[in-house]
Amino acid sequence: MENSSPPAAITRRRALTVAGGVLAGAALAQTAVPAFAATVASDADAIVVGHGLAGLVATAELAAAGRKVLLLDQEPETGLGGQAFWSFGGLFLVDSAEQRLMGVKDSRELAWQDWLGTAGFDRGIDDPAGQDHWAHKWAEAYVDFAAEEKRAWLAGLGMQWFPIVGWAERGGGLADGHGNSVPRFHVTWGTGPAVVEPFEKKVRAAVADKLVTFKFRHRVDELIVTGGAVTGVRGAVLEPSSAARGKPSSRTVVGEFELKAPVVVVTSGGIGANHDLVRANWPARLGTPPKSMITGVPAHVDGRMLAITERAGGRIVNPDRMWHYTEGLKNYDPIWPGHGIRILPGPSSMWFDATGKRFSSPDIPGYDTLHTLKSISDSGYEYSWFVTTQKIIAKEFALSGSEQNPDLTEKNIWKLLSRIWQTPEPIERFKEKGEDFVVAKTLPELVTGMNRLTGDNLIELAPLQRQIEARDREIDNPYTKDAQVMGIRNALAYPGDTLSRTAAIHKILDPGAGPLIAVRLNILTRKTLGGLQTDLSGRVLDASGTPISGLYAAGEVAGFGGGGVHGYRSLEGTFLGGCLFSGRAAGRAAAAATAS
């Protein structure tokens, strides 16, 4: 892993459009068919390493072009779809039918403004050797994709979206700064499994047609390099496993393998379950790495293939850029080790550090994830608190994960409608069984419970009460100087928030809104924003910026495109989309490169 190149000023420069990027990539690939392809005996036309969403998309594209593919993964078949299966299914779309239905006026220009303000690209976007050079190109191509072809392409595969568009990452307060100016978070009807399903179907159909062969329990330990080109993989065969989806599987080796192909596509995911690797790459700008974190991804998201691909010559860029959540709950019924669930909050809960000091703007629920992460680190503690009401959690709390949203995942309209008159059952279960919740009728009882939970007696009643009462006084008028109260009123001006995501504005200490609830929030690991640097064809570049013959990458291992399409921060709904877009580009380019 390398140090940052000198910052460069951002310029508004039009990169290749989506269609142009794909066509240009395909043309490049066709003129650069590896010379070794005809001389090295091959087991297939292509090898894809990783059967998550990006791997399924790339494999589907290769098979659609008639290529024979070996799809390898260290996990058993139950893990097909990877982390995407567990996701909430949120997708970033621009100027969609769902936005227009909700009265949202969006545009490609507004989305690009938001992306640039959020990404903060500063590592040589105009320098071909810069870490952000290809990331910036990927970003513009992706925003074009989200504004143009993305929805129609996915709808054509059978995907549908919940009509109320969510407003995630609302930003830091300036039009050209971080955040979504408008709601863009489209929840897939069926959540993560419904995003995976059409591509899994395509790949399974290709298996039936003998174009794709699954190689489950095949752990890649090395990329084979012949004459400067990647020509295959070798590694260990792991013993069969009956582990359920998400549960850790055995790492007992029962054999070895070596497989050859003209192209290898790496789609192995990020580092979120490897806390040691997370801490090793933790940037100083976010403070001291937490000693204790909970884990938002299964144990197999270990980051192994990053180092393995780097040893084969691939360049890793922006390793210090990562995306971890500040609203993590310890799962009372964990699936994987240290399993954490994220609260997707509405804007009304009051947010305090471990000592009971209220955070200031932009550290408001749903506004600026990484700024809040830094503020928590600066507090000297590794957790924080929401102080809220039953009225707020009933309307505003959602939990990440397909399994935590049975109404959406099961496409059950009755369960979905029941949210109108009751707190969703998964929220109530966490409130009753989760160790991070404190429920009380009065504020003194709440403070006693908070101190009992942590055992450090950091919360004092008088200062906490003073801050809550000060905020509550700001509710008396339709105008205010309190940034969070302004944000609540702003949210209530959006029909989508009024219908589903923002409680009617009220005082925290209003007995009619109770009981009072305090929620301890833990740091939750999730996404790798940097990774293998790739061009718009998904070809992995070496340290000189030259594509490595036969080697492609897509998804999180490639920073969702170019080694860091998000820059420093995410607009949300862009992780699944990044896997879809980069997997498609790499699959199409790899198919073109192996055309006879």
Coordinates of all heavy atoms in Angstrom, one line a residue, residues 171-173 359-364 367 371 483-484:
G171 N -25.8 15.8 4.4 CA -24.6 16.6 4.2 C -24.3 17.6 5.3 O -24.9 17.7 6.3
G172 N -23.4 18.5 4.9 CA -22.8 19.4 5.9 C -23.3 20.8 5.9 O -22.8 21.7 6.6
G173 N -24.2 21.2 5.0 CA -24.8 22.5 5.1 C -24.5 23.4 3.9 O -25.1 24.5 3.9
F359 N -23.7 16.6 20.2 CA -23.0 17.0 19.0 C -23.6 18.1 18.3 O -24.9 18.3 18.4 CB -22.9 15.8 18.1 CG -22.1 14.6 18.6 CD1 -22.6 13.4 18.8 CD2 -20.7 14.8 18.8 CE1 -21.8 12.3 19.2 CE2 -19.9 13.8 19.3 CZ -20.5 12.5 19.4
S360 N -22.8 18.9 17.6 CA -23.3 20.0 16.8 C -23.4 19.6 15.4 O -22.9 18.6 15.0 CB -22.4 21.3 17.0 OG -21.1 21.0 16.6
S361 N -24.0 20.5 14.6 CA -24.1 20.3 13.1 C -22.7 20.2 12.5 O -21.8 20.9 12.9 CB -24.8 21.4 12.5 OG -24.9 21.3 11.1
P362 N -22.4 19.2 11.6 CA -23.3 18.4 10.9 C -23.5 17.0 11.5 O -24.0 16.1 10.8 CB -22.7 18.2 9.5 CG -21.2 18.2 9.8 CD -21.0 19.2 11.0
D363 N -23.2 16.9 12.8 CA -23.3 15.6 13.5 C -24.7 15.4 13.9 O -25.0 15.3 15.1 CB -22.3 15.5 14.6 CG -20.9 15.7 14.1 OD1 -20.6 15.3 13.0 OD2 -20.1 16.2 14.9
I364 N -25.6 15.3 13.0 CA -27.1 15.1 13.1 C -27.4 13.8 12.5 O -26.8 13.4 11.5 CB -27.8 16.2 12.5 CG1 -27.5 17.6 13.2 CG2 -29.3 16.0 12.5 CD1 -28.0 18.8 12.4
Y367 N -26.9 12.8 8.5 CA -26.3 13.9 7.7 C -24.9 13.7 7.2 O -24.6 13.9 6.0 CB -26.3 15.2 8.6 CG -27.7 15.9 8.6 CD1 -28.8 15.3 9.0 CD2 -27.7 17.2 8.0 CE1 -30.0 16.0 9.0 CE2 -29.0 17.9 8.0 CZ -30.1 17.3 8.4 OH -31.3 17.9 8.4
H371 N -17.9 12.7 9.3 CA -17.7 13.8 10.2 C -18.1 13.4 11.6 O -17.3 13.6 12.6 CB -18.5 15.0 9.8 CG -18.1 16.3 10.5 ND1 -18.5 16.5 11.8 CD2 -17.3 17.3 10.1 CE1 -18.0 17.7 12.2 NE2 -17.2 18.2 11.2
A483 N -29.9 23.9 14.5 CA -29.7 23.3 13.1 C -30.5 22.0 13.0 O -31.0 21.8 11.9 CB -28.2 23.1 12.9
Q484 N -30.5 21.2 14.1 CA -31.3 20.0 14.0 C -32.8 20.2 13.8 O -33.5 19.6 13.0 CB -31.0 19.1 15.2 CG -31.7 17.7 15.0 CD -31.3 16.8 16.2 OE1 -30.7 17.1 17.2 NE2 -31.7 15.5 16.0

